[in-house]
Amino acid sequence: MEISENALIKGIKRFEAPSDRVIRGIGDDGAVVDMEQGSYVFVQDAMTEHIHFEFAFMEGYDIGRKAVYINVSDILAMGALPLYFMVTIGIPAKMSYRDIQQIYKGMRRAAKEFDILLLGGDTTETKTDFFIDVSMVGKIVTRHYFGRNRAGKGDLIAVTGVLGESAYGLSLLKEGRTDRGLMRFIRRYRAPQPPYAVWKELVKHDITTSMMDVSDGLIIDLEKMMAESKKGARINLDQVPMPRLLKKESKESLALAGGEDYQFLFTFPPHKREALSSITEMGFPISIIGKVDTGKGVRLFEKGKEKKIAQKGYEHFGDTA
């Protein structure tokens, strides 16, 4: 395609019909709709063979789990709890009934972890490649939805967990490195369970102003957040959490642009810093990596000096930005 994914989404947004019931529409991890019983979030995320995964690297069970996890991640990032989901799968002739069973077993496992129910969906035939497309609904449980458009001037920028583990796991599989000591990275790639426990603490202490999950890469995702919030950001690369092995092997770019971390990137006001510290003291890994300002885009600094990087993350319909 001749345009980027972001440009395509902007073009599609022009077809969005305005409604008083739609609190947040196209341009976020999910859409927020106001109903009589409260506000609900609707998300949809697909995985396509040869684009998002290879059967050589992932079994059907892992694909099923991951398909649910990435949608749960979007629901949580909007400040909601997941409730129900539906799934459509495209099945090529090369796949067996057992293959499909394993995928649904993986989905059932992930659904049980978050107490969500499969309601149905659709099945269709494809000529060559398998795909799985999950739609999910959740209910807002926070004071307001999180979203990408609520970052404020002076807010601090933070991220949960460690970045680059999933991308490093994929690189290990491509290199045929499956040593026992490296399997945790491969497991993170195959089954990126959202950090639900730390999310609950962030919600409990009412800390965040905006939030999204890191799916395409830290830098490109932060650029999306700042664009939606009409703000800029300064990031201290020295504070970005990553595995020691990435630095040892000079693969720091995987933490900045590798993607598929499914950790939470969020902003919060400085006066909430003490509350955030109380969460980290409980053992939850959270790193403050920067600050929101009135500029435009994302500026990167390392050891006090501004730095430019060529690779910012993954974008469909084009090379990595």
Side-chain angles (χ1 to χ4, degrees), residues 237-276:
L237 296 178
D238 302 310
Q239 300 301 318
V240 175
M242 65 182 74
R244 294 178 183 175
L245 275 175
L246 265 62
K247 295 182 179 180
K248 183 179 179 181
E249 298 181 13
S250 299
K251 293 182 177 180
E252 293 94 337
S253 64
L254 294 180
L256 304 177
E260 293 212 321
D261 295 293
Y262 297 103
Q263 296 289 346
F264 293 123
L265 172 67
F266 64 95
T267 61
F268 68 98
H271 71 268
K272 292 283 188 177
R273 192 163 189 163
E274 186 174 339
L276 189 74

mmCIF file of all heavy atoms in Angstrom, residues 237-276:
data_model
loop_
_atom_site.group_PDB
_atom_site.id
_atom_site.type_symbol
_atom_site.label_atom_id
_atom_site.label_comp_id
_atom_site.label_asym_id
_atom_site.label_seq_id
_atom_site.Cartn_x
_atom_site.Cartn_y
_atom_site.Cartn_z
ATOM 1 N N LEU A 237 16.773 8.122 27.687
ATOM 2 C CA LEU A 237 17.029 6.742 27.275
ATOM 3 C C LEU A 237 17.752 5.941 28.356
ATOM 4 O O LEU A 237 17.630 4.715 28.405
ATOM 5 C CB LEU A 237 17.842 6.725 25.980
ATOM 6 C CG LEU A 237 17.145 7.321 24.747
ATOM 7 C CD1 LEU A 237 18.081 7.295 23.544
ATOM 8 C CD2 LEU A 237 15.865 6.560 24.431
ATOM 9 N N ASP A 238 18.498 6.619 29.212
ATOM 10 C CA ASP A 238 19.207 5.922 30.289
ATOM 11 C C ASP A 238 18.243 5.305 31.298
ATOM 12 O O ASP A 238 18.626 4.418 32.065
ATOM 13 C CB ASP A 238 20.146 6.892 31.020
ATOM 14 C CG ASP A 238 21.151 7.536 30.079
ATOM 15 O OD1 ASP A 238 21.793 6.796 29.317
ATOM 16 O OD2 ASP A 238 21.267 8.776 30.095
ATOM 17 N N GLN A 239 16.998 5.780 31.310
ATOM 18 C CA GLN A 239 16.015 5.298 32.277
ATOM 19 C C GLN A 239 15.071 4.238 31.711
ATOM 20 O O GLN A 239 14.232 3.711 32.439
ATOM 21 C CB GLN A 239 15.189 6.480 32.805
ATOM 22 C CG GLN A 239 16.009 7.555 33.497
ATOM 23 C CD GLN A 239 16.776 7.012 34.689
ATOM 24 O OE1 GLN A 239 16.254 6.220 35.467
ATOM 25 N NE2 GLN A 239 18.032 7.423 34.823
ATOM 26 N N VAL A 240 15.192 3.943 30.416
ATOM 27 C CA VAL A 240 14.308 2.944 29.804
ATOM 28 C C VAL A 240 14.703 1.555 30.304
ATOM 29 O O VAL A 240 15.852 1.130 30.138
ATOM 30 C CB VAL A 240 14.394 2.998 28.267
ATOM 31 C CG1 VAL A 240 13.568 1.866 27.641
ATOM 32 C CG2 VAL A 240 13.898 4.349 27.761
ATOM 33 N N PRO A 241 13.779 0.818 30.926
ATOM 34 C CA PRO A 241 14.112 -0.494 31.492
ATOM 35 C C PRO A 241 14.248 -1.561 30.411
ATOM 36 O O PRO A 241 13.370 -1.718 29.565
ATOM 37 C CB PRO A 241 12.915 -0.792 32.401
ATOM 38 C CG PRO A 241 11.772 -0.086 31.736
ATOM 39 C CD PRO A 241 12.355 1.173 31.142
ATOM 40 N N MET A 242 15.360 -2.276 30.431
ATOM 41 C CA MET A 242 15.581 -3.333 29.444
ATOM 42 C C MET A 242 16.461 -4.423 30.047
ATOM 43 O O MET A 242 17.212 -4.169 31.004
ATOM 44 C CB MET A 242 16.228 -2.767 28.181
ATOM 45 C CG MET A 242 17.635 -2.224 28.371
ATOM 46 S SD MET A 242 18.326 -1.511 26.842
ATOM 47 C CE MET A 242 17.390 0.026 26.729
ATOM 48 N N PRO A 243 16.409 -5.638 29.517
ATOM 49 C CA PRO A 243 17.265 -6.713 30.023
ATOM 50 C C PRO A 243 18.745 -6.398 29.813
ATOM 51 O O PRO A 243 19.117 -5.763 28.820
ATOM 52 C CB PRO A 243 16.845 -7.928 29.178
ATOM 53 C CG PRO A 243 15.497 -7.585 28.643
ATOM 54 C CD PRO A 243 15.497 -6.107 28.457
ATOM 55 N N ARG A 244 19.582 -6.842 30.728
ATOM 56 C CA ARG A 244 21.024 -6.606 30.604
ATOM 57 C C ARG A 244 21.590 -7.199 29.323
ATOM 58 O O ARG A 244 22.526 -6.655 28.732
ATOM 59 C CB ARG A 244 21.748 -7.205 31.812
ATOM 60 C CG ARG A 244 21.435 -6.522 33.134
ATOM 61 C CD ARG A 244 22.171 -7.213 34.271
ATOM 62 N NE ARG A 244 21.830 -6.625 35.564
ATOM 63 C CZ ARG A 244 22.269 -7.104 36.721
ATOM 64 N NH1 ARG A 244 23.067 -8.175 36.740
ATOM 65 N NH2 ARG A 244 21.917 -6.520 37.856
ATOM 66 N N LEU A 245 21.018 -8.322 28.889
ATOM 67 C CA LEU A 245 21.525 -8.984 27.689
ATOM 68 C C LEU A 245 21.420 -8.096 26.457
ATOM 69 O O LEU A 245 22.247 -8.186 25.548
ATOM 70 C CB LEU A 245 20.768 -10.296 27.446
ATOM 71 C CG LEU A 245 21.271 -11.528 28.196
ATOM 72 C CD1 LEU A 245 20.349 -12.714 27.955
ATOM 73 C CD2 LEU A 245 22.690 -11.876 27.753
ATOM 74 N N LEU A 246 20.405 -7.242 26.403
ATOM 75 C CA LEU A 246 20.256 -6.355 25.254
ATOM 76 C C LEU A 246 21.432 -5.383 25.171
ATOM 77 O O LEU A 246 21.951 -5.106 24.080
ATOM 78 C CB LEU A 246 18.934 -5.584 25.332
ATOM 79 C CG LEU A 246 17.760 -6.208 24.561
ATOM 80 C CD1 LEU A 246 17.426 -7.576 25.120
ATOM 81 C CD2 LEU A 246 16.550 -5.296 24.602
ATOM 82 N N LYS A 247 21.851 -4.873 26.321
ATOM 83 C CA LYS A 247 23.003 -3.969 26.337
ATOM 84 C C LYS A 247 24.286 -4.732 26.028
ATOM 85 O O LYS A 247 25.154 -4.240 25.300
ATOM 86 C CB LYS A 247 23.097 -3.281 27.696
ATOM 87 C CG LYS A 247 21.926 -2.354 27.997
ATOM 88 C CD LYS A 247 22.096 -1.665 29.339
ATOM 89 C CE LYS A 247 20.935 -0.718 29.610
ATOM 90 N NZ LYS A 247 21.070 -0.016 30.909
ATOM 91 N N LYS A 248 24.393 -5.936 26.570
ATOM 92 C CA LYS A 248 25.587 -6.751 26.348
ATOM 93 C C LYS A 248 25.758 -7.090 24.876
ATOM 94 O O LYS A 248 26.883 -7.123 24.356
ATOM 95 C CB LYS A 248 25.492 -8.036 27.177
ATOM 96 C CG LYS A 248 26.709 -8.932 27.086
ATOM 97 C CD LYS A 248 26.543 -10.164 27.961
ATOM 98 C CE LYS A 248 27.765 -11.078 27.864
ATOM 99 N NZ LYS A 248 27.592 -12.298 28.709
ATOM 100 N N GLU A 249 24.641 -7.329 24.175
ATOM 101 C CA GLU A 249 24.691 -7.704 22.766
ATOM 102 C C GLU A 249 24.433 -6.519 21.833
ATOM 103 O O GLU A 249 24.227 -6.697 20.638
ATOM 104 C CB GLU A 249 23.671 -8.815 22.493
ATOM 105 C CG GLU A 249 23.943 -10.092 23.268
ATOM 106 C CD GLU A 249 22.941 -11.202 22.963
ATOM 107 O OE1 GLU A 249 22.191 -11.067 21.970
ATOM 108 O OE2 GLU A 249 22.915 -12.199 23.708
ATOM 109 N N SER A 250 24.435 -5.303 22.398
ATOM 110 C CA SER A 250 24.202 -4.070 21.620
ATOM 111 C C SER A 250 22.886 -4.129 20.849
ATOM 112 O O SER A 250 22.801 -3.747 19.677
ATOM 113 C CB SER A 250 25.370 -3.825 20.648
ATOM 114 O OG SER A 250 26.577 -3.665 21.358
ATOM 115 N N LYS A 251 21.844 -4.597 21.533
ATOM 116 C CA LYS A 251 20.517 -4.689 20.924
ATOM 117 C C LYS A 251 19.510 -3.810 21.669
ATOM 118 O O LYS A 251 18.338 -4.142 21.794
ATOM 119 C CB LYS A 251 20.039 -6.145 20.908
ATOM 120 C CG LYS A 251 20.858 -7.048 19.995
ATOM 121 C CD LYS A 251 20.312 -8.470 19.974
ATOM 122 C CE LYS A 251 21.094 -9.347 19.004
ATOM 123 N NZ LYS A 251 20.584 -10.745 18.968
ATOM 124 N N GLU A 252 19.980 -2.662 22.140
ATOM 125 C CA GLU A 252 19.103 -1.755 22.879
ATOM 126 C C GLU A 252 17.904 -1.305 22.052
ATOM 127 O O GLU A 252 16.853 -0.969 22.598
ATOM 128 C CB GLU A 252 19.885 -0.519 23.347
ATOM 129 C CG GLU A 252 20.950 -0.807 24.387
ATOM 130 C CD GLU A 252 22.320 -1.040 23.769
ATOM 131 O OE1 GLU A 252 22.381 -1.405 22.569
ATOM 132 O OE2 GLU A 252 23.320 -0.855 24.475
ATOM 133 N N SER A 253 18.056 -1.304 20.735
ATOM 134 C CA SER A 253 16.958 -0.856 19.869
ATOM 135 C C SER A 253 15.714 -1.718 20.037
ATOM 136 O O SER A 253 14.596 -1.262 19.780
ATOM 137 C CB SER A 253 17.397 -0.865 18.401
ATOM 138 O OG SER A 253 17.697 -2.186 17.975
ATOM 139 N N LEU A 254 15.881 -2.963 20.481
ATOM 140 C CA LEU A 254 14.725 -3.839 20.677
ATOM 141 C C LEU A 254 13.829 -3.325 21.802
ATOM 142 O O LEU A 254 12.615 -3.540 21.781
ATOM 143 C CB LEU A 254 15.183 -5.269 20.987
ATOM 144 C CG LEU A 254 15.915 -6.003 19.861
ATOM 145 C CD1 LEU A 254 16.309 -7.407 20.305
ATOM 146 C CD2 LEU A 254 15.051 -6.071 18.604
ATOM 147 N N ALA A 255 14.416 -2.652 22.787
ATOM 148 C CA ALA A 255 13.622 -2.086 23.880
ATOM 149 C C ALA A 255 12.921 -0.805 23.453
ATOM 150 O O ALA A 255 11.870 -0.452 23.995
ATOM 151 C CB ALA A 255 14.511 -1.815 25.090
ATOM 152 N N LEU A 256 13.484 -0.111 22.482
ATOM 153 C CA LEU A 256 12.923 1.163 22.036
ATOM 154 C C LEU A 256 11.944 0.996 20.884
ATOM 155 O O LEU A 256 10.994 1.769 20.745
ATOM 156 C CB LEU A 256 14.046 2.107 21.599
ATOM 157 C CG LEU A 256 15.137 2.398 22.630
ATOM 158 C CD1 LEU A 256 16.213 3.279 22.022
ATOM 159 C CD2 LEU A 256 14.544 3.047 23.870
ATOM 160 N N ALA A 257 12.173 -0.011 20.050
ATOM 161 C CA ALA A 257 11.389 -0.125 18.822
ATOM 162 C C ALA A 257 10.937 -1.541 18.505
ATOM 163 O O ALA A 257 10.256 -1.755 17.503
ATOM 164 C CB ALA A 257 12.212 0.418 17.642
ATOM 165 N N GLY A 258 11.297 -2.514 19.350
ATOM 166 C CA GLY A 258 10.989 -3.910 19.036
ATOM 167 C C GLY A 258 9.504 -4.225 19.041
ATOM 168 O O GLY A 258 8.994 -4.969 18.212
ATOM 169 N N GLY A 259 8.770 -3.650 19.995
ATOM 170 C CA GLY A 259 7.327 -3.859 20.057
ATOM 171 C C GLY A 259 6.920 -5.175 20.690
ATOM 172 O O GLY A 259 7.745 -5.979 21.116
ATOM 173 N N GLU A 260 5.604 -5.371 20.757
ATOM 174 C CA GLU A 260 4.968 -6.555 21.337
ATOM 175 C C GLU A 260 5.366 -6.777 22.800
ATOM 176 O O GLU A 260 5.398 -7.900 23.284
ATOM 177 C CB GLU A 260 5.251 -7.809 20.505
ATOM 178 C CG GLU A 260 4.589 -7.776 19.135
ATOM 179 C CD GLU A 260 4.174 -9.147 18.639
ATOM 180 O OE1 GLU A 260 4.922 -10.118 18.853
ATOM 181 O OE2 GLU A 260 3.095 -9.238 18.035
ATOM 182 N N ASP A 261 5.654 -5.683 23.504
ATOM 183 C CA ASP A 261 5.945 -5.796 24.933
ATOM 184 C C ASP A 261 4.655 -5.986 25.728
ATOM 185 O O ASP A 261 4.631 -6.690 26.729
ATOM 186 C CB ASP A 261 6.647 -4.529 25.430
ATOM 187 C CG ASP A 261 8.019 -4.343 24.811
ATOM 188 O OD1 ASP A 261 8.902 -5.156 25.113
ATOM 189 O OD2 ASP A 261 8.201 -3.387 24.036
ATOM 190 N N TYR A 262 3.608 -5.289 25.310
ATOM 191 C CA TYR A 262 2.325 -5.282 26.022
ATOM 192 C C TYR A 262 2.497 -4.930 27.492
ATOM 193 O O TYR A 262 1.837 -5.473 28.370
ATOM 194 C CB TYR A 262 1.568 -6.597 25.802
ATOM 195 C CG TYR A 262 1.226 -6.758 24.341
ATOM 196 C CD1 TYR A 262 1.954 -7.622 23.523
ATOM 197 C CD2 TYR A 262 0.233 -5.982 23.754
ATOM 198 C CE1 TYR A 262 1.682 -7.718 22.162
ATOM 199 C CE2 TYR A 262 -0.043 -6.075 22.397
ATOM 200 C CZ TYR A 262 0.682 -6.941 21.616
ATOM 201 O OH TYR A 262 0.411 -7.024 20.268
ATOM 202 N N GLN A 263 3.447 -4.012 27.735
ATOM 203 C CA GLN A 263 3.532 -3.318 29.009
ATOM 204 C C GLN A 263 2.724 -2.034 28.869
ATOM 205 O O GLN A 263 2.329 -1.658 27.758
ATOM 206 C CB GLN A 263 4.989 -3.009 29.358
ATOM 207 C CG GLN A 263 5.860 -4.227 29.583
ATOM 208 C CD GLN A 263 5.524 -4.967 30.879
ATOM 209 O OE1 GLN A 263 4.812 -4.446 31.748
ATOM 210 N NE2 GLN A 263 6.035 -6.184 31.012
ATOM 211 N N PHE A 264 2.481 -1.351 29.986
ATOM 212 C CA PHE A 264 1.680 -0.135 29.931
ATOM 213 C C PHE A 264 2.564 1.110 29.971
ATOM 214 O O PHE A 264 3.399 1.267 30.857
ATOM 215 C CB PHE A 264 0.667 -0.104 31.073
ATOM 216 C CG PHE A 264 -0.382 -1.170 30.945
ATOM 217 C CD1 PHE A 264 -0.575 -2.099 31.951
ATOM 218 C CD2 PHE A 264 -1.160 -1.252 29.805
ATOM 219 C CE1 PHE A 264 -1.536 -3.093 31.829
ATOM 220 C CE2 PHE A 264 -2.127 -2.243 29.668
ATOM 221 C CZ PHE A 264 -2.312 -3.165 30.684
ATOM 222 N N LEU A 265 2.356 1.958 28.986
ATOM 223 C CA LEU A 265 2.994 3.266 28.900
ATOM 224 C C LEU A 265 1.964 4.274 29.391
ATOM 225 O O LEU A 265 0.843 4.308 28.886
ATOM 226 C CB LEU A 265 3.386 3.544 27.447
ATOM 227 C CG LEU A 265 3.893 4.940 27.098
ATOM 228 C CD1 LEU A 265 5.237 5.207 27.758
ATOM 229 C CD2 LEU A 265 3.997 5.085 25.576
ATOM 230 N N PHE A 266 2.320 5.086 30.381
ATOM 231 C CA PHE A 266 1.314 5.989 30.940
ATOM 232 C C PHE A 266 1.932 7.298 31.415
ATOM 233 O O PHE A 266 3.147 7.405 31.608
ATOM 234 C CB PHE A 266 0.550 5.312 32.085
ATOM 235 C CG PHE A 266 1.379 4.962 33.293
ATOM 236 C CD1 PHE A 266 1.444 5.816 34.388
ATOM 237 C CD2 PHE A 266 2.083 3.766 33.351
ATOM 238 C CE1 PHE A 266 2.188 5.493 35.514
ATOM 239 C CE2 PHE A 266 2.834 3.430 34.472
ATOM 240 C CZ PHE A 266 2.890 4.299 35.554
ATOM 241 N N THR A 267 1.074 8.293 31.584
ATOM 242 C CA THR A 267 1.490 9.584 32.126
ATOM 243 C C THR A 267 0.762 9.816 33.443
ATOM 244 O O THR A 267 -0.329 9.275 33.675
ATOM 245 C CB THR A 267 1.170 10.731 31.153
ATOM 246 O OG1 THR A 267 -0.250 10.787 30.930
ATOM 247 C CG2 THR A 267 1.873 10.523 29.819
ATOM 248 N N PHE A 268 1.377 10.630 34.294
ATOM 249 C CA PHE A 268 0.749 10.943 35.581
ATOM 250 C C PHE A 268 1.280 12.281 36.081
ATOM 251 O O PHE A 268 2.407 12.677 35.767
ATOM 252 C CB PHE A 268 1.012 9.827 36.602
ATOM 253 C CG PHE A 268 2.449 9.701 37.033
ATOM 254 C CD1 PHE A 268 2.890 10.274 38.222
ATOM 255 C CD2 PHE A 268 3.367 9.012 36.248
ATOM 256 C CE1 PHE A 268 4.212 10.159 38.623
ATOM 257 C CE2 PHE A 268 4.693 8.893 36.640
ATOM 258 C CZ PHE A 268 5.119 9.466 37.830
ATOM 259 N N PRO A 269 0.485 13.015 36.872
ATOM 260 C CA PRO A 269 0.928 14.314 37.386
ATOM 261 C C PRO A 269 2.001 14.143 38.456
ATOM 262 O O PRO A 269 1.987 13.158 39.205
ATOM 263 C CB PRO A 269 -0.351 14.919 37.965
ATOM 264 C CG PRO A 269 -1.233 13.755 38.256
ATOM 265 C CD PRO A 269 -0.913 12.706 37.234
ATOM 266 N N PRO A 270 2.935 15.094 38.558
ATOM 267 C CA PRO A 270 4.033 14.980 39.528
ATOM 268 C C PRO A 270 3.582 14.780 40.968
ATOM 269 O O PRO A 270 4.264 14.105 41.744
ATOM 270 C CB PRO A 270 4.778 16.310 39.360
ATOM 271 C CG PRO A 270 4.494 16.726 37.952
ATOM 272 C CD PRO A 270 3.085 16.283 37.690
ATOM 273 N N HIS A 271 2.423 15.334 41.344
ATOM 274 C CA HIS A 271 1.995 15.196 42.739
ATOM 275 C C HIS A 271 1.573 13.767 43.086
ATOM 276 O O HIS A 271 1.356 13.449 44.258
ATOM 277 C CB HIS A 271 0.864 16.184 43.061
ATOM 278 C CG HIS A 271 -0.456 15.849 42.426
ATOM 279 N ND1 HIS A 271 -0.842 16.355 41.204
ATOM 280 C CD2 HIS A 271 -1.473 15.052 42.849
ATOM 281 C CE1 HIS A 271 -2.046 15.898 40.897
ATOM 282 N NE2 HIS A 271 -2.452 15.104 41.877
ATOM 283 N N LYS A 272 1.489 12.899 42.066
ATOM 284 C CA LYS A 272 1.165 11.488 42.304
ATOM 285 C C LYS A 272 2.425 10.623 42.419
ATOM 286 O O LYS A 272 2.336 9.397 42.529
ATOM 287 C CB LYS A 272 0.298 10.955 41.159
ATOM 288 C CG LYS A 272 -1.104 11.537 41.097
ATOM 289 C CD LYS A 272 -2.010 10.921 42.146
ATOM 290 C CE LYS A 272 -3.456 11.357 41.969
ATOM 291 N NZ LYS A 272 -4.359 10.704 42.945
ATOM 292 N N ARG A 273 3.579 11.270 42.420
ATOM 293 C CA ARG A 273 4.836 10.511 42.427
ATOM 294 C C ARG A 273 4.996 9.675 43.699
ATOM 295 O O ARG A 273 5.491 8.548 43.659
ATOM 296 C CB ARG A 273 6.016 11.466 42.268
ATOM 297 C CG ARG A 273 7.332 10.769 41.985
ATOM 298 C CD ARG A 273 8.359 11.725 41.436
ATOM 299 N NE ARG A 273 9.542 11.021 40.967
ATOM 300 C CZ ARG A 273 10.442 11.551 40.155
ATOM 301 N NH1 ARG A 273 10.279 12.787 39.708
ATOM 302 N NH2 ARG A 273 11.495 10.856 39.772
ATOM 303 N N GLU A 274 4.579 10.223 44.822
ATOM 304 C CA GLU A 274 4.692 9.480 46.080
ATOM 305 C C GLU A 274 3.807 8.236 46.058
ATOM 306 O O GLU A 274 4.207 7.166 46.529
ATOM 307 C CB GLU A 274 4.308 10.378 47.255
ATOM 308 C CG GLU A 274 4.540 9.733 48.618
ATOM 309 C CD GLU A 274 4.281 10.682 49.768
ATOM 310 O OE1 GLU A 274 4.306 11.911 49.547
ATOM 311 O OE2 GLU A 274 4.054 10.190 50.887
ATOM 312 N N ALA A 275 2.606 8.377 45.494
ATOM 313 C CA ALA A 275 1.709 7.226 45.378
ATOM 314 C C ALA A 275 2.315 6.164 44.469
ATOM 315 O O ALA A 275 2.207 4.960 44.742
ATOM 316 C CB ALA A 275 0.351 7.670 44.842
ATOM 317 N N LEU A 276 2.972 6.609 43.395
ATOM 318 C CA LEU A 276 3.626 5.659 42.495
ATOM 319 C C LEU A 276 4.762 4.939 43.208
ATOM 320 O O LEU A 276 4.953 3.729 43.036
ATOM 321 C CB LEU A 276 4.156 6.383 41.254
ATOM 322 C CG LEU A 276 4.675 5.464 40.148
ATOM 323 C CD1 LEU A 276 3.516 4.800 39.422
ATOM 324 C CD2 LEU A 276 5.538 6.230 39.152
#
